[in-house]
Amino acid sequence: MRQFILIYFRQRKKQNLLLLLFGVIFSVVFWLYQLPAVAVVYPILLLMLVWAVFTGIDMYKSYGRYTFFLSTSKKCGLELSGDMSADREPDRVVENPDWDMFQELLEKQEDSVDWECAFYRNAVSRLLSERREQLDAIKMWNQDTVDYYTTWVHQIKTPIAAMRLMLQEDTEDSRKLSAELQRIEQYVEMVLTYLRLGSGETDYVFARVDLDKLMRECIKKYAGQFIRRHLTLDYHTMDCQVLTDEKWLAFVVEQILSNALKYTRSGSVSIYMEPPCTLCIRDTGIGIAPEDLPRIFDKGYTGYNGRSDKKATGLGLYLCKQICDRLKHTITARSVPDEGTVVCIGLGREVLETE
């Protein structure tokens, strides 16, 4: 309470000095006209009484705001003590401020007086400064992480390539090991893709892409698995070009092909186009349960099939959705359990007919 009284009267010293000056002027005027002392004392007493009443009411309201700011400042991550004048900053700012509570405090700024304005200036300055420092630290940490895993991915590709050379012998065991090695490569690329998407700085290069060429290169990577699983590939030639990023679209296609092969024990995988420009990949696998279908693109969601497989991460389709959103493509899925799944990638209206 003592701290509040000091702050209150210090902030209103100009008004109080002005009031005192008026009292002196009235006293001098009354004295010059040689009025009785009672005529001078009574007006001064009445003036002091009115001043005391209005000051008391104003102090009561100001004290309510003062206690509100102290309690709210602690909730939003500030602890204030001592002077809160315009040239003094809060004593310290604790970590993890409650930004919603701080926003609520700022919305009450309209009726603030001088000491409250000082509070806002200091609080906003300190919090924004700390916020910038935190964002810079997070950005630096993210960049270091991406740089580390980028280096790790390139380093791990060397022993993977060496192992692939060792598995050139055409035996059943070598084919199985090659398939598992391909899965390792896919997981490595998935790690790097996940980190790059989270960093906010992705090397998108939009250009005219021959869709047929891109699809054939993706299919070639999984040719061994088609043969080993005795699955039929029904591929329809795609005589069109699309405006997209070839590398990122290839990642999406490879991920969908991988899922199709993983969950298709027998039958076929069909790849075709639907008008106006929608790439469809259909399999005759185990399908997706109706209750899982709306959530298959959610981060970390594996569903019934993922729980039965026990190796699913729930990141593959999530990354596909994130990439398609950033490329301004759409991705949807429809499925019937035990009959198969169709994943459709809408490549937009930027279709360029080949000559």
Side-chain angles (χ1 to χ4, degrees):
M1 186 65 179
R2 178 176 175 273
Q3 175 183 323
F4 165 73
I5 293 174
L6 292 174
I7 294 172
Y8 180 83
F9 282 105
R10 183 163 54 249
Q11 293 292 338
R12 285 164 176 75
K13 59 184 178 182
K14 292 182 180 180
Q15 295 92 323
N16 294 332
L17 289 174
L18 185 62
L19 183 63
L20 180 61
L21 178 61
F22 287 159
V24 171
I25 291 174
F26 276 110
S27 300
V28 171
V29 171
F30 290 164
W31 177 76
L32 290 176
Y33 280 96
Q34 297 181 352
L35 296 176
V38 176
V40 178
V41 174
Y42 280 172
I44 293 177
L45 291 177
L46 288 174
L47 184 62
M48 292 179 63
L49 179 61
V50 172
W51 175 84
V53 171
F54 279 98
T55 300
I57 294 173
D58 187 57
M59 284 185 65
Y60 177 77
K61 293 180 179 180
S62 298
Y63 186 72
R65 291 196 299 268
Y66 174 79
T67 54
F68 166 77
F69 285 129
L70 287 183
S71 61
T72 308
S73 63
K74 293 180 181 179
K75 293 179 182 178
C76 71
L78 290 171
E79 287 189 7
L80 307 177
S81 63
D83 190 4
M84 285 192 296
S85 57
D87 57 351
R88 180 178 174 89
E89 294 184 352
D91 287 353
R92 67 186 182 95
V93 179
V94 298
E95 296 181 354
N96 302 321
D98 187 338
W99 294 100
D100 293 333
M101 182 65 71
F102 187 66
Q103 180 64 33
E104 180 183 345
L105 184 149
L106 290 179
E107 290 173 355
K108 300 181 180 297
Q109 185 176 353
E110 297 177 358
D111 300 328
S112 63
V113 293
D114 291 343
W115 68 268
E116 298 173 57
C117 292
F119 170 84
Y120 285 122
R121 286 193 296 269
N122 293 326
V124 170
S125 176
R126 290 292 298 273
L127 287 176
L128 290 181
S129 176
E130 181 171 297
R131 187 66 168 175
R132 283 193 294 268
E133 292 176 1
Q134 291 176 348
L135 291 177
D136 290 342
I138 292 172
K139 184 177 180 180
M140 185 177 296
W141 182 86
N142 286 337
Q143 187 60 47
D144 290 343
T145 304
V146 171
D147 292 342
Y148 170 77
Y149 279 102
T150 301
T151 304
W152 177 82
V153 166
H154 289 298
Q155 290 176 340
I156 202 68
K157 284 182 177 181
T158 301
I160 290 176
M163 286 187 285
R164 191 169 292 281
L165 289 174
M166 297 176 187
L167 295 173
Q168 291 296 316
E169 185 180 357
D170 188 17
T171 63
E172 182 64 23
D173 289 339
S174 65
R175 287 194 292 269
K176 290 181 179 179
L177 288 174
S178 295
E180 295 301 320
L181 195 60
Q182 187 174 14
R183 291 183 65 181
I184 294 175
E185 288 180 303
Q186 184 180 2
Y187 291 146
V188 168
E189 290 296 333
M190 190 180 297
V191 169
L192 186 58
T193 301
Y194 181 78
L195 289 170
R196 284 177 174 173
L197 286 175
S199 68
E201 298 178 0
T202 310
D203 55 337
Y204 298 114
V205 179
F206 288 89
R208 299 180 181 185
V209 177
D210 187 332
L211 189 59
D212 188 73
K213 179 181 177 181
L214 183 146
M215 293 303 301
R216 290 181 184 276
E217 290 176 354
C218 293
I219 293 170
K220 185 178 179 181
K221 287 186 177 182
Y222 293 94
Q225 293 196 41
F226 274 102
I227 296 172
R228 188 170 63 86
R229 294 171 178 268
H230 304 289
L231 297 177
T232 302
L233 173 63
D234 183 16
Y235 179 73
H236 299 261
T237 302
M238 301 173 186
D239 189 19
C240 69
Q241 293 184 342
V242 294
L243 185 61
T244 188
D245 183 287
E246 183 175 5
K247 180 183 70 174
W248 291 97
L249 181 59
F251 175 88
V252 174
V253 172
E254 290 174 6
Q255 185 62 45
I256 296 172
L257 280 175
S258 175
N259 287 349
L261 289 168
K262 183 190 301 184
Y263 297 111
T264 303
R265 299 186 181 91
S266 62
S268 64
V269 175
S270 301
I271 303 174
Y272 55 92
M273 294 289 293
E274 287 184 353
C277 188
T278 303
L279 173 65
C280 298
I281 301 176
R282 178 173 59 84
D283 63 64
T284 58
I286 60 177
I288 302 172
E291 61 272 18
D292 292 336
L293 198 57
R295 300 181 58 190
I296 59 173
F297 296 109
D298 292 350
K299 182 178 180 180
Y301 187 77
T302 58
Y304 176 78
N305 294 339
R307 289 189 293 272
S308 61
D309 181 61
K310 300 188 185 304
K311 296 178 182 179
T313 61
L315 288 179
L317 290 179
Y318 165 76
L319 292 175
C320 290
K321 182 69 167 70
Q322 295 298 310
I323 292 172
C324 286
D325 288 345
R326 299 188 183 197
L327 296 178
K328 303 302 179 183
H329 301 328
T330 62
I331 181 168
T332 57
R334 55 182 186 269
S335 180
V336 177
D338 299 324
E339 293 186 13
T341 302
V342 182
V343 178
C344 299
I345 304 173
L347 298 176
R349 298 180 180 179
E350 293 80 9
V351 185
L352 305 169
E353 298 295 338
T354 57
E355 296 182 358

